[in-house]
Amino acid sequence: MKFDRYAIYFTPQGSLAEAGAAWLGWDLARGRTVAHPDVAGLDVAALTETPRKYGLHATIKPPFVLAEGASADGLQAAFEVLCTRLAPVTLDGLALTPLGRFLALTPEGDTAALNAMAAEVVRGLDMFRAPPTEADLARRRQANLTPAQEANLTKWGYPYVMDAFRFHITLTSKLPKADLPQVSAALDPYITPHLPQPFVLSSLTLVGQAEDGMFHEVHRAALSG
């Protein structure tokens, strides 16, 4: 399969992966659509339209086009080597949380090791990333970036990395703020039984975005450092 962009994700496994794939309607590990669950009072397809193509994930290294002269095979090989140097990260758990105008799963506990690992992935694979286009830069700058975010955009091609990184697994599109409590209350009994305690991040996933816009798992690698 040909991919236009690549990224490094954390992708859950087990019951959370299955429940999340159904919720979003896309299973990136299997590369197929999944029927949405019936959740009382919610139009799940409408709520998940924006995050669907990405699959259930937390972004570690944001999507990028391969640099000139770089290859997908070279990226995968470097990704595998990097994961042998990175240690698993254990946090207290995951919680359903409002972030701005969307709902996400966020980690509970000290995230210092998680943030450091994410920064190492951004740095360690950056030679494979093509520079952003002027259109990409202009689009990102519409978000009124802070000076630190602008520096990240210039150096790493994305504003929300390094000190601006915040691990999250997006579950909804942007919602009216008034709707967040009702959607959260309906979603909670569906997703919370699948949330791990503790939450152990023991692998990362190289993913690719196909020509139809959907992201697919390319290779999962254990963190064995």
Side-chain angles (χ1 to χ4, degrees):
M1 184 177 290
K2 183 179 183 295
F3 296 117
D4 297 325
R5 296 193 298 168
Y6 293 88
I8 307 301
Y9 283 175
F10 164 74
T11 59
Q13 294 178 285
S15 70
L16 177 57
E18 298 296 326
W23 170 256
L24 293 178
W26 176 250
D27 186 332
L28 67 81
R30 298 179 176 91
R32 68 186 188 192
T33 58
V34 185
H36 293 296
D38 291 324
V39 179
L42 298 183
D43 182 344
V44 178
L47 287 171
T48 57
E49 181 178 1
T50 300
R52 181 171 305 123
K53 69 180 182 180
Y54 300 99
L56 189 73
H57 80 286
T59 300
I60 302 299
K61 183 170 181 63
F64 58 91
V65 175
L66 281 178
E68 185 175 354
S71 70
D73 288 344
L75 171 61
Q76 180 171 327
F79 167 68
E80 291 174 345
V81 171
L82 178 62
C83 287
T84 67
R85 301 201 304 264
L86 298 173
V89 177
T90 300
L91 294 106
D92 295 345
L94 290 171
L96 180 61
T97 309
L99 288 181
R101 289 174 49 197
F102 62 94
L103 294 172
L105 302 177
T106 59
E108 298 178 307
D110 185 355
T111 60
L114 175 59
N115 296 343
M117 181 273 291
E120 187 60 29
V121 174
V122 170
R123 281 191 295 266
L125 297 175
D126 208 53
M127 73 286 290
F128 291 95
R129 176 183 61 85
T133 65
E134 288 301 320
D136 292 333
L137 294 173
R139 178 170 55 85
R140 293 295 179 192
R141 285 169 175 150
Q142 291 176 356
N144 297 318
L145 303 177
T146 67
Q149 292 166 351
E150 173 65 29
N152 285 334
L153 178 63
T154 301
K155 185 168 185 178
W156 305 110
Y158 192 74
Y160 311 110
V161 293
M162 304 305 178
D163 288 347
F165 173 75
R166 184 173 184 182
F167 181 100
H168 61 281
I169 299 174
T170 302
L171 295 177
T172 69
S173 307
K174 285 186 177 180
L175 305 172
K177 286 188 176 180
D179 292 351
L180 286 169
Q182 177 242 330
V183 175
S184 180
L187 174 56
D188 180 79
Y190 172 79
I191 201 70
T192 296
H194 303 286
L195 301 184
Q197 288 185 321
F199 164 48
V200 181
L201 194 157
S202 59
S203 66
L204 294 175
T205 306
L206 171 65
V207 298
Q209 186 178 25
E211 293 175 329
D212 65 358
M214 307 303 286
F215 279 81
H216 297 251
E217 179 179 308
V218 176
H219 182 69
R220 179 186 292 273
L223 303 183
S224 55

